[in-house]
Structures are given as C-alpha cells and as structure tokens.
Amino acid sequence: MTVVYQKSKGLTDVELHYCPGCHHGIAHKLIAETLEEMNAIDTAVGVCPVGCSVFADKYFSCDMFNAAHGRAPAVATAIKRTHPDQPVFTYQGDGDLASIGAAEIVHAAARGEKITTIFINNAIYGMTGGQMAPTTLIGQKTTTSPLGRTVEQAGMPMRMAEMLSTLDGVAYAERVCLTDIPNLNKAKKAIKKAFQLQMEGAGFTFVEILSTCPTNWGFSPLDANKWLKENMVPYYPLGVVKDVTKEVAK
Amino acid sequence: MAKKELWKGNEAMAEAAIRAGCDAYFGYPITPQSEIPEYMSLHMPQEGRVFLQAESEVATINYLYGAGGSGKRVMTSSSSLGVSLMQEGLSWLSGAEVPCVLLNCMRGGPGLGTIQPGQADYYQMTRGGASGDHHFVCLAPGNMQEAVDMIQESFDIADQYRNPCLIVVDGLIGQMMEPIEWHEVKKRDLPPKTWAADGRKGRAEHNVIKTIFVEPEDDNEFNEHLARKFEEMKKNEVRYEKTQCDDAEIVIVAYGTPARVSLSVVRKLRAQGVKVGLFRPQTIWPYPEEALHEVAAQDSVKRILCVEMSEGQMIDDVRLSVEGQKPIDFYGKAGGVVPTVEEIAEQVEKAVKEAVR
Amino acid sequence: MEAKVTFDVDRCKGCGLCASVCPKQIVALDETVTNRKGYHPAGVTDISKCIACASCAKICPDSIITVEKF
C-alpha cells in the first residue's frame, strides 16, 4: 500500500475555521507541502496578516508571527535579515497587502528583501464582513460599494503583481489560481520556485493567488470558482509577470 | 412626542452624524464598528455628501485634516487599535486647530485583542497617545439614545473649539439594537470658518493650516493659547449623571456599558436596603472632578467603587477627584468581557462589609 | 491497482470542490447523511473506477482526504 496523497506535515491538526470552499485552505496546503518538500518546516518562519487568515498560525507547523494589519513585510524583513539562512514568508490578503500595507510591501520589494510573499487576492475584505478591497472589480457590489464599485468613486482595481514587478528588487512574480487541478499544479510550482529563488538569494519573490470568498461574494463554492474564472482572470491575467532567472538567461 | 424607532447602534450613530450635517466621512473597516462606514457608503452619496473608504487609519486621520482644515464637517469612526494609528494625526489636528469628530467603538486589547466590548482605551482617549500638549472633549454616551444625541452635538463642539471632538462607546453600544427618538438637538452659535484654507476667494490674507513653528517662543505662545482654550472646554463641557447618590454609602463610578449594568445593581441592592448610588461621567474629558469630589465629601459616603472594562484607567481620575477623602475600591473586567449585575453587586457588598469594619 | 480513498467525514464542509475535479466523476456529496457540522459529507460513489489520481485530495481545502493504492 502506497500513500498517493495525505495531509502535509506542514499543517497542524487544528481544524480550519475557513468557510466551505474558501481557497485559503488550498493555498495553506500548497505552502505547507512546499516547506515539507524543502525540509524546511523546522527552519521556516511565517508571518500572517490581519484578515480571515489571522489564525493561520494555528494551521502551519512552522514557527509563526502575527503582525499588525499590513505590517507583515516589515516584520518578515527583520526576521530574514537576522536569520538569513532560513526561509521567511508572509501570507497576506488584499486589505493587508494592497490597502493598509501598501507602503510596507513596496519597500520590502524595492529593497529586494529575500522573503516570499503569498498574496491572496479575493477582491473583497472577508473577515470584517465583505467591504470593498483595492482589488474589488468595477461594478462589484460590496458592503461599502453597495451600488457597485465605480471608477469615479474608487479608481480602477490594483494589479499588485504588475505594480511590484516594476521594482528592481523583485526577482520573481507570478499570478495563479486554484479553481481546478491544472491551475493548482501551476500554483504549487510557482510557490516552490518562489521559495527556491528566495533561498538562492535572488531577491523578493511574490505569488499572487486569485481566490474565492464564497460567503461574501454570495455564491456557492463552485459558483464562486466560476465567477473567478469569468470575472477575475480577464482583469488579473494568470502567468509569470517577472522572472529574473529567465531574463539573465536571455 | 417623537416617534420611537428601533435601530442598530452603529447605524444610528452614522445616521446621527448625517443629521448633524456631516459633510464627509472617511474610515476603514474594523470590527465592531464596520457598519458605520457601510451605512455611510450608501447614505452619504445619497445626501450629496462625501464618502471614501480609506486605505488605512493613518490615511483616514489625514483625510480628516484635509477636509476639516478646508472648512468641512468631517467624521471618522474606528476601534481601539485603529484609533492608535490616528494618534499622530490627532496631534496635528489639535495643533492646527482643525475640528473633526472621531468615534472610538472600543474593543478588548491590547494589540488585536478581541472584537468584544472594552474600555481599555480610556488613557488613549483622555491622555492621548500623541505628542504635544493636547486635550479633546471626549463624550461618553451610556446608551444608544445618548449616543445619537451626543453625536449630533459633537460637530458643534468640535467647531466651537476648533478641535477634534471625541466620542467613546464600547462595542456593545455599537452592536446592540434598541428604540431611540430623533430629538431636535440644541445648536450652538458658531462663527463662520474664516480660518479655513478653502481657497482665498478674494480674502485679504491667505490661510495656512499647519503645526510648525521655527521659533520656540512662538510655539510657547501658541501652547498658552491652546491651554486657555482647554480651560474653556473644562469650564463648559463637563457632563455627568448621579443616580441615588444623595444618601449613598457606596458610590459606584462607571461610564458606558458598565454604568448601565451598575444601574441594575443600584435598583437591585436598593430594594434590599443597601444604600448604593451611581456616579456616571458623561464626559471623560473634561472629567467631572468637582462633582465627584463633592459626592465623595458627603458624610453618607463610606467608599467609592470604580468599575471599568479594563484593568484600571479611569481609576486615576477617580483618585484625582476624590483626593483621598474616602477609600476607593476597583473592579475591572478586561479583554472584551462585560461585568454582570451579580459580579458588581458582589463588589458593592464587599465594600459595605469593608465600610463597617 | 486497487485504490483506497478515506474521508475524515466530520471535518468535511460539503463544499463540493472534490466532486468538481474528479476525472471519473465518482466523488459526490452524500445528501442522505449529515455530519457533525451539519454538512453533507463527500465520499466516493464507486471505488472500482478510482484511478488514485488524488485530484480530490489535492483540492480539498480542509485536507480531509487520504488516497492510497495497492
């Protein structure tokens, strides 16, 4: 009897509090599997955000920090600079990274901090009950854009992978999603590459994971997947946005 | 007589601000007050006013500085740790004499803490976490009716003194539902905002909103001016309510939700013949020092019991007011836990026993 | 090849993602059963058709599925 798949040791035994079908659980396990495969559970340090995944420290087996809203990149910067041989990552949502933490992520990326940021983009603020995020799409209804987001009121949504990639310090940035197995496999590869490049000292690595929030979008998990594919992917294109290793090879 | 309407605290407080003529609301979602920006996001544009969800609380307080400094009635709301991010901005607003209204819907702390009600921001609201000599009138409603009345007054208070007016409620008041009436709130006689930097439009001098001084003597003079203003605030804005204090042996001092719980304690114990009263500050700055001092001076009063949803912050002001006249006991519940009638009653009974010894 | 798929039934949230990715369409929510959380838990309807690809296990957000093969 061979085990084809079982729960990663990078995850604890604590039951996840996330809603049914929420992509946080899938993203968590891809990171956990990566750390396990790198033999890094014992050396990695992760920093969780304020958002639904504020409780991520309960689910990852490695050492974890909670950071103030948006400040994870600053916290991670200091951990990595004082522990340069260990993998350090931040796990952040769209409020944490693109709103209140916009300055921190820009500076960590600009300085080329050797950390990996996993950015969960679900176009909404989940934990506080469904308010608009910087990544909310035009026309999307949220509790603070009750008639639908407009350009006049809130500007266009922010494409963080592209924006950060303009900075020289960014070694690798890819956007992925988790709606089906082929995309999940690509996401896992991206996360693995991001951590590998971090450990090679290439610079700041960034994986943006388009994710669903079934509860606050008002969809079933499967309908939420459909909405993501039909609405988010056209605006937030999937694929590699920046890869310095390819550029060097060129 | 005004009609009673059933409202949720946060939504009622938002509506109160709109009725008070709030021109602009800026804020960031944070539990337990997110319903306020949500309500504002729908209703402010409907009223032709400005709403914007800020990128952070740091940005929020600077939006207030901009809108307030250019003469508009502006408000924000947040909770505990979000208010902490606004401290620098509050110092600026005070230093530039810019009015605004800031509502703190307090939760358990420190740090992220809990989302349940707390009162451990007393120091933050009355002493301030920001630099420089500054004070803010801080209204402390005890229930939803008071909250909607006080919010409607708060804009006038802010404008009269050209200073932020703070309102402090605990998360329970924000989240509860109860009937309220929309009163005609007394308006103050306010001069036009000729100081605002809203475009010269032919004005002889340009207006500048700033806090910087090059010469220390100038800053000193300005601070003396502010000190005189703060004395005016102290003279005019104290509010408190006494319940059955006249013959009380034990006086509970509490504000906000613990005061409401203490009202039940007073009723319950008075029915059993215990001479207990409640002194409830309705402003925590300026603190009703004189009034509490007088109550403590009463011959009937044996002990004071300070009750807070914290490990003891208002207790400092209670001690300052009582000035050693009578012994003070403290009962606190922190982290988002609301004390019960039974728990506070037990403390009163302990105090009664102590008093007899 | 014989496959064995185990579901930690009481941790299942009935999200249906596993059912949506099974290439053999043999994973479904059992609407005749409610687990401890009140959801209809997922399960395999015909294990003889299972190819042990573990797609269900990979996508499960709560990591409640274990796949083994003989």
Side-chain angles (χ1 to χ4, degrees), chain A residues 200-223:
Chain A
E200 287 167 22
F204 177 79
T205 58
F206 184 77
V207 180
E208 178 173 336
I209 307 182
L210 300 182
S211 304
T212 63
C213 179
T215 301
N216 288 301
W217 289 1
F219 291 127
S220 70
L222 292 176
D223 285 346

mmCIF file with all atom_site columns, all heavy atoms in Angstrom, chain A residues 200-223:
data_model
loop_
_atom_site.group_PDB
_atom_site.id
_atom_site.type_symbol
_atom_site.label_atom_id
_atom_site.label_alt_id
_atom_site.label_comp_id
_atom_site.label_asym_id
_atom_site.label_entity_id
_atom_site.label_seq_id
_atom_site.pdbx_PDB_ins_code
_atom_site.Cartn_x
_atom_site.Cartn_y
_atom_site.Cartn_z
_atom_site.occupancy
_atom_site.B_iso_or_equiv
_atom_site.pdbx_formal_charge
_atom_site.auth_seq_id
_atom_site.auth_comp_id
_atom_site.auth_asym_id
_atom_site.auth_atom_id
_atom_site.pdbx_PDB_model_num
ATOM 1   N N   . GLU A 1 200 ? 18.075  30.956 -2.846  1.00 0.00 ? 200 GLU A N   1
ATOM 2   C CA  . GLU A 1 200 ? 19.263  31.225 -3.682  1.00 0.00 ? 200 GLU A CA  1
ATOM 3   C C   . GLU A 1 200 ? 19.698  32.679 -3.572  1.00 0.00 ? 200 GLU A C   1
ATOM 4   O O   . GLU A 1 200 ? 20.718  33.061 -4.148  1.00 0.00 ? 200 GLU A O   1
ATOM 5   C CB  . GLU A 1 200 ? 18.961  30.883 -5.151  1.00 0.00 ? 200 GLU A CB  1
ATOM 6   C CG  . GLU A 1 200 ? 18.894  29.382 -5.427  1.00 0.00 ? 200 GLU A CG  1
ATOM 7   C CD  . GLU A 1 200 ? 18.288  29.074 -6.786  1.00 0.00 ? 200 GLU A CD  1
ATOM 8   O OE1 . GLU A 1 200 ? 18.304  29.972 -7.673  1.00 0.00 ? 200 GLU A OE1 1
ATOM 9   O OE2 . GLU A 1 200 ? 17.780  27.952 -6.968  1.00 0.00 ? 200 GLU A OE2 1
ATOM 10  N N   . GLY A 1 201 ? 18.913  33.488 -2.854  1.00 0.00 ? 201 GLY A N   1
ATOM 11  C CA  . GLY A 1 201 ? 19.294  34.888 -2.674  1.00 0.00 ? 201 GLY A CA  1
ATOM 12  C C   . GLY A 1 201 ? 18.986  35.779 -3.858  1.00 0.00 ? 201 GLY A C   1
ATOM 13  O O   . GLY A 1 201 ? 19.565  36.855 -4.018  1.00 0.00 ? 201 GLY A O   1
ATOM 14  N N   . ALA A 1 202 ? 18.032  35.335 -4.704  1.00 0.00 ? 202 ALA A N   1
ATOM 15  C CA  . ALA A 1 202 ? 17.754  36.106 -5.921  1.00 0.00 ? 202 ALA A CA  1
ATOM 16  C C   . ALA A 1 202 ? 17.077  37.438 -5.642  1.00 0.00 ? 202 ALA A C   1
ATOM 17  O O   . ALA A 1 202 ? 17.221  38.388 -6.402  1.00 0.00 ? 202 ALA A O   1
ATOM 18  C CB  . ALA A 1 202 ? 16.886  35.265 -6.859  1.00 0.00 ? 202 ALA A CB  1
ATOM 19  N N   . GLY A 1 203 ? 16.290  37.514 -4.563  1.00 0.00 ? 203 GLY A N   1
ATOM 20  C CA  . GLY A 1 203 ? 15.578  38.758 -4.270  1.00 0.00 ? 203 GLY A CA  1
ATOM 21  C C   . GLY A 1 203 ? 14.183  38.476 -3.748  1.00 0.00 ? 203 GLY A C   1
ATOM 22  O O   . GLY A 1 203 ? 13.901  37.383 -3.268  1.00 0.00 ? 203 GLY A O   1
ATOM 23  N N   . PHE A 1 204 ? 13.312  39.463 -3.886  1.00 0.00 ? 204 PHE A N   1
ATOM 24  C CA  . PHE A 1 204 ? 11.945  39.364 -3.385  1.00 0.00 ? 204 PHE A CA  1
ATOM 25  C C   . PHE A 1 204 ? 11.109  38.508 -4.326  1.00 0.00 ? 204 PHE A C   1
ATOM 26  O O   . PHE A 1 204 ? 11.158  38.708 -5.538  1.00 0.00 ? 204 PHE A O   1
ATOM 27  C CB  . PHE A 1 204 ? 11.352  40.779 -3.269  1.00 0.00 ? 204 PHE A CB  1
ATOM 28  C CG  . PHE A 1 204 ? 9.919   40.804 -2.820  1.00 0.00 ? 204 PHE A CG  1
ATOM 29  C CD1 . PHE A 1 204 ? 9.596   40.635 -1.481  1.00 0.00 ? 204 PHE A CD1 1
ATOM 30  C CD2 . PHE A 1 204 ? 8.890   41.011 -3.734  1.00 0.00 ? 204 PHE A CD2 1
ATOM 31  C CE1 . PHE A 1 204 ? 8.271   40.663 -1.063  1.00 0.00 ? 204 PHE A CE1 1
ATOM 32  C CE2 . PHE A 1 204 ? 7.556   41.041 -3.329  1.00 0.00 ? 204 PHE A CE2 1
ATOM 33  C CZ  . PHE A 1 204 ? 7.250   40.860 -1.985  1.00 0.00 ? 204 PHE A CZ  1
ATOM 34  N N   . THR A 1 205 ? 10.377  37.535 -3.772  1.00 0.00 ? 205 THR A N   1
ATOM 35  C CA  . THR A 1 205 ? 9.550   36.672 -4.618  1.00 0.00 ? 205 THR A CA  1
ATOM 36  C C   . THR A 1 205 ? 8.089   36.765 -4.195  1.00 0.00 ? 205 THR A C   1
ATOM 37  O O   . THR A 1 205 ? 7.786   36.869 -3.005  1.00 0.00 ? 205 THR A O   1
ATOM 38  C CB  . THR A 1 205 ? 10.028  35.209 -4.565  1.00 0.00 ? 205 THR A CB  1
ATOM 39  O OG1 . THR A 1 205 ? 9.996   34.739 -3.213  1.00 0.00 ? 205 THR A OG1 1
ATOM 40  C CG2 . THR A 1 205 ? 11.437  35.077 -5.107  1.00 0.00 ? 205 THR A CG2 1
ATOM 41  N N   . PHE A 1 206 ? 7.204   36.730 -5.202  1.00 0.00 ? 206 PHE A N   1
ATOM 42  C CA  . PHE A 1 206 ? 5.808   37.106 -4.983  1.00 0.00 ? 206 PHE A CA  1
ATOM 43  C C   . PHE A 1 206 ? 4.887   36.186 -5.768  1.00 0.00 ? 206 PHE A C   1
ATOM 44  O O   . PHE A 1 206 ? 5.052   36.044 -6.982  1.00 0.00 ? 206 PHE A O   1
ATOM 45  C CB  . PHE A 1 206 ? 5.645   38.555 -5.456  1.00 0.00 ? 206 PHE A CB  1
ATOM 46  C CG  . PHE A 1 206 ? 4.299   39.168 -5.227  1.00 0.00 ? 206 PHE A CG  1
ATOM 47  C CD1 . PHE A 1 206 ? 3.935   39.614 -3.964  1.00 0.00 ? 206 PHE A CD1 1
ATOM 48  C CD2 . PHE A 1 206 ? 3.401   39.340 -6.278  1.00 0.00 ? 206 PHE A CD2 1
ATOM 49  C CE1 . PHE A 1 206 ? 2.691   40.207 -3.749  1.00 0.00 ? 206 PHE A CE1 1
ATOM 50  C CE2 . PHE A 1 206 ? 2.167   39.940 -6.082  1.00 0.00 ? 206 PHE A CE2 1
ATOM 51  C CZ  . PHE A 1 206 ? 1.813   40.372 -4.809  1.00 0.00 ? 206 PHE A CZ  1
ATOM 52  N N   . VAL A 1 207 ? 3.936   35.553 -5.082  1.00 0.00 ? 207 VAL A N   1
ATOM 53  C CA  . VAL A 1 207 ? 2.941   34.743 -5.783  1.00 0.00 ? 207 VAL A CA  1
ATOM 54  C C   . VAL A 1 207 ? 1.565   35.280 -5.424  1.00 0.00 ? 207 VAL A C   1
ATOM 55  O O   . VAL A 1 207 ? 1.175   35.274 -4.251  1.00 0.00 ? 207 VAL A O   1
ATOM 56  C CB  . VAL A 1 207 ? 3.034   33.245 -5.407  1.00 0.00 ? 207 VAL A CB  1
ATOM 57  C CG1 . VAL A 1 207 ? 1.982   32.438 -6.168  1.00 0.00 ? 207 VAL A CG1 1
ATOM 58  C CG2 . VAL A 1 207 ? 4.434   32.707 -5.695  1.00 0.00 ? 207 VAL A CG2 1
ATOM 59  N N   . GLU A 1 208 ? 0.859   35.791 -6.435  1.00 0.00 ? 208 GLU A N   1
ATOM 60  C CA  . GLU A 1 208 ? -0.491  36.308 -6.218  1.00 0.00 ? 208 GLU A CA  1
ATOM 61  C C   . GLU A 1 208 ? -1.466  35.196 -6.566  1.00 0.00 ? 208 GLU A C   1
ATOM 62  O O   . GLU A 1 208 ? -1.459  34.684 -7.698  1.00 0.00 ? 208 GLU A O   1
ATOM 63  C CB  . GLU A 1 208 ? -0.737  37.535 -7.106  1.00 0.00 ? 208 GLU A CB  1
ATOM 64  C CG  . GLU A 1 208 ? -2.143  38.101 -6.982  1.00 0.00 ? 208 GLU A CG  1
ATOM 65  C CD  . GLU A 1 208 ? -2.327  39.423 -7.730  1.00 0.00 ? 208 GLU A CD  1
ATOM 66  O OE1 . GLU A 1 208 ? -1.331  40.141 -7.953  1.00 0.00 ? 208 GLU A OE1 1
ATOM 67  O OE2 . GLU A 1 208 ? -3.477  39.740 -8.096  1.00 0.00 ? 208 GLU A OE2 1
ATOM 68  N N   . ILE A 1 209 ? -2.272  34.798 -5.588  1.00 0.00 ? 209 ILE A N   1
ATOM 69  C CA  . ILE A 1 209 ? -3.218  33.698 -5.815  1.00 0.00 ? 209 ILE A CA  1
ATOM 70  C C   . ILE A 1 209 ? -4.631  34.266 -5.886  1.00 0.00 ? 209 ILE A C   1
ATOM 71  O O   . ILE A 1 209 ? -5.189  34.711 -4.865  1.00 0.00 ? 209 ILE A O   1
ATOM 72  C CB  . ILE A 1 209 ? -3.146  32.645 -4.690  1.00 0.00 ? 209 ILE A CB  1
ATOM 73  C CG1 . ILE A 1 209 ? -1.703  32.163 -4.478  1.00 0.00 ? 209 ILE A CG1 1
ATOM 74  C CG2 . ILE A 1 209 ? -4.060  31.465 -5.018  1.00 0.00 ? 209 ILE A CG2 1
ATOM 75  C CD1 . ILE A 1 209 ? -1.551  31.077 -3.406  1.00 0.00 ? 209 ILE A CD1 1
ATOM 76  N N   . LEU A 1 210 ? -5.220  34.267 -7.076  1.00 0.00 ? 210 LEU A N   1
ATOM 77  C CA  . LEU A 1 210 ? -6.620  34.686 -7.184  1.00 0.00 ? 210 LEU A CA  1
ATOM 78  C C   . LEU A 1 210 ? -7.457  33.646 -6.446  1.00 0.00 ? 210 LEU A C   1
ATOM 79  O O   . LEU A 1 210 ? -7.308  32.446 -6.687  1.00 0.00 ? 210 LEU A O   1
ATOM 80  C CB  . LEU A 1 210 ? -7.053  34.745 -8.650  1.00 0.00 ? 210 LEU A CB  1
ATOM 81  C CG  . LEU A 1 210 ? -6.296  35.704 -9.556  1.00 0.00 ? 210 LEU A CG  1
ATOM 82  C CD1 . LEU A 1 210 ? -6.884  35.681 -10.973 1.00 0.00 ? 210 LEU A CD1 1
ATOM 83  C CD2 . LEU A 1 210 ? -6.320  37.125 -9.014  1.00 0.00 ? 210 LEU A CD2 1
ATOM 84  N N   . SER A 1 211 ? -8.279  34.112 -5.525  1.00 0.00 ? 211 SER A N   1
ATOM 85  C CA  . SER A 1 211 ? -9.001  33.174 -4.657  1.00 0.00 ? 211 SER A CA  1
ATOM 86  C C   . SER A 1 211 ? -10.456 33.566 -4.544  1.00 0.00 ? 211 SER A C   1
ATOM 87  O O   . SER A 1 211 ? -10.821 34.707 -4.811  1.00 0.00 ? 211 SER A O   1
ATOM 88  C CB  . SER A 1 211 ? -8.380  33.181 -3.256  1.00 0.00 ? 211 SER A CB  1
ATOM 89  O OG  . SER A 1 211 ? -7.007  32.892 -3.324  1.00 0.00 ? 211 SER A OG  1
ATOM 90  N N   . THR A 1 212 ? -11.281 32.619 -4.100  1.00 0.00 ? 212 THR A N   1
ATOM 91  C CA  . THR A 1 212 ? -12.703 32.919 -3.936  1.00 0.00 ? 212 THR A CA  1
ATOM 92  C C   . THR A 1 212 ? -13.023 33.256 -2.489  1.00 0.00 ? 212 THR A C   1
ATOM 93  O O   . THR A 1 212 ? -12.301 32.874 -1.568  1.00 0.00 ? 212 THR A O   1
ATOM 94  C CB  . THR A 1 212 ? -13.577 31.719 -4.330  1.00 0.00 ? 212 THR A CB  1
ATOM 95  O OG1 . THR A 1 212 ? -13.267 30.624 -3.436  1.00 0.00 ? 212 THR A OG1 1
ATOM 96  C CG2 . THR A 1 212 ? -13.347 31.290 -5.756  1.00 0.00 ? 212 THR A CG2 1
ATOM 97  N N   . CYS A 1 213 ? -14.103 34.008 -2.310  1.00 0.00 ? 213 CYS A N   1
ATOM 98  C CA  . CYS A 1 213 ? -14.675 34.252 -0.987  1.00 0.00 ? 213 CYS A CA  1
ATOM 99  C C   . CYS A 1 213 ? -16.165 33.959 -1.140  1.00 0.00 ? 213 CYS A C   1
ATOM 100 O O   . CYS A 1 213 ? -16.979 34.881 -1.299  1.00 0.00 ? 213 CYS A O   1
ATOM 101 C CB  . CYS A 1 213 ? -14.446 35.700 -0.548  1.00 0.00 ? 213 CYS A CB  1
ATOM 102 S SG  . CYS A 1 213 ? -15.170 36.067 1.065   1.00 0.00 ? 213 CYS A SG  1
ATOM 103 N N   . PRO A 1 214 ? -16.537 32.678 -1.148  1.00 0.00 ? 214 PRO A N   1
ATOM 104 C CA  . PRO A 1 214 ? -17.934 32.343 -1.450  1.00 0.00 ? 214 PRO A CA  1
ATOM 105 C C   . PRO A 1 214 ? -18.932 33.090 -0.576  1.00 0.00 ? 214 PRO A C   1
ATOM 106 O O   . PRO A 1 214 ? -19.923 33.615 -1.074  1.00 0.00 ? 214 PRO A O   1
ATOM 107 C CB  . PRO A 1 214 ? -17.994 30.830 -1.189  1.00 0.00 ? 214 PRO A CB  1
ATOM 108 C CG  . PRO A 1 214 ? -16.588 30.354 -1.293  1.00 0.00 ? 214 PRO A CG  1
ATOM 109 C CD  . PRO A 1 214 ? -15.714 31.487 -0.881  1.00 0.00 ? 214 PRO A CD  1
ATOM 110 N N   . THR A 1 215 ? -18.642 33.188 0.706   1.00 0.00 ? 215 THR A N   1
ATOM 111 C CA  . THR A 1 215 ? -19.598 33.801 1.639   1.00 0.00 ? 215 THR A CA  1
ATOM 112 C C   . THR A 1 215 ? -19.885 35.251 1.299   1.00 0.00 ? 215 THR A C   1
ATOM 113 O O   . THR A 1 215 ? -21.041 35.651 1.150   1.00 0.00 ? 215 THR A O   1
ATOM 114 C CB  . THR A 1 215 ? -19.069 33.702 3.074   1.00 0.00 ? 215 THR A CB  1
ATOM 115 O OG1 . THR A 1 215 ? -18.883 32.325 3.400   1.00 0.00 ? 215 THR A OG1 1
ATOM 116 C CG2 . THR A 1 215 ? -20.028 34.320 4.069   1.00 0.00 ? 215 THR A CG2 1
ATOM 117 N N   . ASN A 1 216 ? -18.824 36.055 1.145   1.00 0.00 ? 216 ASN A N   1
ATOM 118 C CA  . ASN A 1 216 ? -19.067 37.479 0.908   1.00 0.00 ? 216 ASN A CA  1
ATOM 119 C C   . ASN A 1 216 ? -19.382 37.810 -0.542  1.00 0.00 ? 216 ASN A C   1
ATOM 120 O O   . ASN A 1 216 ? -19.921 38.874 -0.829  1.00 0.00 ? 216 ASN A O   1
ATOM 121 C CB  . ASN A 1 216 ? -17.887 38.310 1.419   1.00 0.00 ? 216 ASN A CB  1
ATOM 122 C CG  . ASN A 1 216 ? -17.860 38.341 2.944   1.00 0.00 ? 216 ASN A CG  1
ATOM 123 O OD1 . ASN A 1 216 ? -18.810 38.780 3.569   1.00 0.00 ? 216 ASN A OD1 1
ATOM 124 N ND2 . ASN A 1 216 ? -16.798 37.837 3.527   1.00 0.00 ? 216 ASN A ND2 1
ATOM 125 N N   . TRP A 1 217 ? -19.038 36.891 -1.471  1.00 0.00 ? 217 TRP A N   1
ATOM 126 C CA  . TRP A 1 217 ? -19.463 37.109 -2.857  1.00 0.00 ? 217 TRP A CA  1
ATOM 127 C C   . TRP A 1 217 ? -20.918 36.705 -3.020  1.00 0.00 ? 217 TRP A C   1
ATOM 128 O O   . TRP A 1 217 ? -21.569 37.088 -3.984  1.00 0.00 ? 217 TRP A O   1
ATOM 129 C CB  . TRP A 1 217 ? -18.615 36.270 -3.810  1.00 0.00 ? 217 TRP A CB  1
ATOM 130 C CG  . TRP A 1 217 ? -17.196 36.720 -3.968  1.00 0.00 ? 217 TRP A CG  1
ATOM 131 C CD1 . TRP A 1 217 ? -16.562 37.766 -3.363  1.00 0.00 ? 217 TRP A CD1 1
ATOM 132 C CD2 . TRP A 1 217 ? -16.224 36.085 -4.788  1.00 0.00 ? 217 TRP A CD2 1
ATOM 133 N NE1 . TRP A 1 217 ? -15.244 37.817 -3.768  1.00 0.00 ? 217 TRP A NE1 1
ATOM 134 C CE2 . TRP A 1 217 ? -15.012 36.804 -4.642  1.00 0.00 ? 217 TRP A CE2 1
ATOM 135 C CE3 . TRP A 1 217 ? -16.244 34.979 -5.657  1.00 0.00 ? 217 TRP A CE3 1
ATOM 136 C CZ2 . TRP A 1 217 ? -13.831 36.445 -5.308  1.00 0.00 ? 217 TRP A CZ2 1
ATOM 137 C CZ3 . TRP A 1 217 ? -15.077 34.634 -6.324  1.00 0.00 ? 217 TRP A CZ3 1
ATOM 138 C CH2 . TRP A 1 217 ? -13.893 35.363 -6.144  1.00 0.00 ? 217 TRP A CH2 1
ATOM 139 N N   . GLY A 1 218 ? -21.408 35.870 -2.085  1.00 0.00 ? 218 GLY A N   1
ATOM 140 C CA  . GLY A 1 218 ? -22.795 35.397 -2.156  1.00 0.00 ? 218 GLY A CA  1
ATOM 141 C C   . GLY A 1 218 ? -22.997 34.245 -3.106  1.00 0.00 ? 218 GLY A C   1
ATOM 142 O O   . GLY A 1 218 ? -24.041 34.128 -3.748  1.00 0.00 ? 218 GLY A O   1
ATOM 143 N N   . PHE A 1 219 ? -21.966 33.392 -3.224  1.00 0.00 ? 219 PHE A N   1
ATOM 144 C CA  . PHE A 1 219 ? -22.055 32.244 -4.144  1.00 0.00 ? 219 PHE A CA  1
ATOM 145 C C   . PHE A 1 219 ? -21.775 30.950 -3.415  1.00 0.00 ? 219 PHE A C   1
ATOM 146 O O   . PHE A 1 219 ? -21.145 30.925 -2.369  1.00 0.00 ? 219 PHE A O   1
ATOM 147 C CB  . PHE A 1 219 ? -21.017 32.377 -5.262  1.00 0.00 ? 219 PHE A CB  1
ATOM 148 C CG  . PHE A 1 219 ? -21.277 33.477 -6.241  1.00 0.00 ? 219 PHE A CG  1
ATOM 149 C CD1 . PHE A 1 219 ? -20.288 34.414 -6.517  1.00 0.00 ? 219 PHE A CD1 1
ATOM 150 C CD2 . PHE A 1 219 ? -22.485 33.568 -6.919  1.00 0.00 ? 219 PHE A CD2 1
ATOM 151 C CE1 . PHE A 1 219 ? -20.509 35.427 -7.440  1.00 0.00 ? 219 PHE A CE1 1
ATOM 152 C CE2 . PHE A 1 219 ? -22.717 34.574 -7.848  1.00 0.00 ? 219 PHE A CE2 1
ATOM 153 C CZ  . PHE A 1 219 ? -21.720 35.510 -8.101  1.00 0.00 ? 219 PHE A CZ  1
ATOM 154 N N   . SER A 1 220 ? -22.176 29.839 -4.030  1.00 0.00 ? 220 SER A N   1
ATOM 155 C CA  . SER A 1 220 ? -21.733 28.528 -3.559  1.00 0.00 ? 220 SER A CA  1
ATOM 156 C C   . SER A 1 220 ? -20.254 28.404 -3.963  1.00 0.00 ? 220 SER A C   1
ATOM 157 O O   . SER A 1 220 ? -19.794 29.131 -4.849  1.00 0.00 ? 220 SER A O   1
ATOM 158 C CB  . SER A 1 220 ? -22.535 27.422 -4.245  1.00 0.00 ? 220 SER A CB  1
ATOM 159 O OG  . SER A 1 220 ? -22.168 27.353 -5.617  1.00 0.00 ? 220 SER A OG  1
ATOM 160 N N   . PRO A 1 221 ? -19.527 27.495 -3.335  1.00 0.00 ? 221 PRO A N   1
ATOM 161 C CA  . PRO A 1 221 ? -18.109 27.353 -3.690  1.00 0.00 ? 221 PRO A CA  1
ATOM 162 C C   . PRO A 1 221 ? -17.870 27.135 -5.175  1.00 0.00 ? 221 PRO A C   1
ATOM 163 O O   . PRO A 1 221 ? -16.965 27.733 -5.757  1.00 0.00 ? 221 PRO A O   1
ATOM 164 C CB  . PRO A 1 221 ? -17.670 26.140 -2.855  1.00 0.00 ? 221 PRO A CB  1
ATOM 165 C CG  . PRO A 1 221 ? -18.556 26.183 -1.662  1.00 0.00 ? 221 PRO A CG  1
ATOM 166 C CD  . PRO A 1 221 ? -19.872 26.681 -2.159  1.00 0.00 ? 221 PRO A CD  1
ATOM 167 N N   . LEU A 1 222 ? -18.683 26.322 -5.804  1.00 0.00 ? 222 LEU A N   1
ATOM 168 C CA  . LEU A 1 222 ? -18.462 26.045 -7.235  1.00 0.00 ? 222 LEU A CA  1
ATOM 169 C C   . LEU A 1 222 ? -18.832 27.243 -8.098  1.00 0.00 ? 222 LEU A C   1
ATOM 170 O O   . LEU A 1 222 ? -18.139 27.572 -9.065  1.00 0.00 ? 222 LEU A O   1
ATOM 171 C CB  . LEU A 1 222 ? -19.242 24.789 -7.657  1.00 0.00 ? 222 LEU A CB  1
ATOM 172 C CG  . LEU A 1 222 ? -18.694 23.494 -7.036  1.00 0.00 ? 222 LEU A CG  1
ATOM 173 C CD1 . LEU A 1 222 ? -19.561 22.302 -7.421  1.00 0.00 ? 222 LEU A CD1 1
ATOM 174 C CD2 . LEU A 1 222 ? -17.252 23.246 -7.455  1.00 0.00 ? 222 LEU A CD2 1
ATOM 175 N N   . ASP A 1 223 ? -19.912 27.935 -7.746  1.00 0.00 ? 223 ASP A N   1
ATOM 176 C CA  . ASP A 1 223 ? -20.287 29.145 -8.490  1.00 0.00 ? 223 ASP A CA  1
ATOM 177 C C   . ASP A 1 223 ? -19.237 30.227 -8.294  1.00 0.00 ? 223 ASP A C   1
ATOM 178 O O   . ASP A 1 223 ? -18.976 31.036 -9.193  1.00 0.00 ? 223 ASP A O   1
ATOM 179 C CB  . ASP A 1 223 ? -21.665 29.650 -8.050  1.00 0.00 ? 223 ASP A CB  1
ATOM 180 C CG  . ASP A 1 223 ? -22.799 28.785 -8.599  1.00 0.00 ? 223 ASP A CG  1
ATOM 181 O OD1 . ASP A 1 223 ? -22.544 27.991 -9.515  1.00 0.00 ? 223 ASP A OD1 1
ATOM 182 O OD2 . ASP A 1 223 ? -23.937 28.906 -8.097  1.00 0.00 ? 223 ASP A OD2 1
#
